Amino acid sequence: MIVVSKWICAHPVYKIPEKTHSSISCYSDDKIMAKPLELVKIEAEQSALKVDRNKIQMTNNAGQTFVVHYKNVEEGDQEEDKKIEDGVNGDKVSSQTINEDAQKKIIKAFLDGEDCLTGGTGWWKFEICFGKHVLQYHDDEKTKKRQSILLGTWNVDDHIKWINARPSKRPLQPKTQRLHSSLLYSEGSKCDETNKNRFVEVKLKCVRGKSNSATVGLYLIEPALCEYLLGVESPWLCDYIESVDANGLVEKQSP
């Protein structure tokens, strides 16, 4: 005999058990440091980042890393000294003060797929190469080797299926009211906990009328296990966001 009823679902026997995450509490011995050396280093990096917000890190196709420091300049004062200095690991890092026109070029090179944007502090950094991939990585200072996790790759067919199933992700109409546009980067590396491939929603946001509107903001969060949201915010994205179609694509991205 088979009994089918929605009231059976309320019985405790048929409830799906909730996942529990155990917490770990660490206590230091009286004779040793209160904080691990790696934690002290991470906090120092975060502190430095808070002090100097007017910077952005980029990697070009040749593998060179550029940390660009910038400030707003008055009209007629367009020439700035440029300097190149050695990075932490001996990598060549160029540090320069640039004007708004140069900031536009940074975003254009990013959207054209010529340069990648990198961000993050602490152990894991992240990289987005527009129209190509999103990944997390850690460069080991001792071994000089990179550990990386592929979060997602660009596939226009996967994106269209994703946005068709989520109409709220479509860009607003009319175009002048748009503030953001979302793209799906799918088929990342396999997640052991979920037994599914990682994926990331890349959210491009237009920011206007803020005191720090000349900056390029980057952030990466993990709302659910192995599901990511990467945000790129800049006033120089506004024209691009207005130009995309109902699927969040421009002509060269469309199938």
Side-chain angles (χ1 to χ4, degrees), residues 41 85-91 93 141 144:
K41 183 178 178 181
E85 55 191 26
D86 291 333
V88 176
N89 298 322
D91 299 328
V93 178
E141 295 181 1
K144 306 300 181 183

Side-chain angles (χ1 to χ4, degrees), residues 157-208:
D157 294 329
D158 286 351
H159 166 75
I160 291 177
K161 290 178 183 177
W162 175 78
I163 205 166
N164 283 339
R166 298 164 180 81
S168 62
K169 299 292 184 181
R170 292 187 182 279
L172 292 175
Q173 296 291 352
K175 294 183 176 182
T176 54
Q177 294 183 4
R178 292 178 181 173
L179 293 178
H180 57 80
S181 177
S182 290
L183 300 168
L184 176 73
Y185 282 60
S186 58
E187 294 301 315
S189 61
K190 182 68 71 68
C191 177
D192 293 334
E193 290 82 359
T194 63
N195 200 33
K196 296 179 181 179
N197 291 90
R198 291 176 169 85
F199 66 87
V200 54
E201 175 188 350
V202 174
K203 188 173 184 177
L204 306 176
K205 184 175 181 180
C206 164
V207 291
R208 290 191 179 104

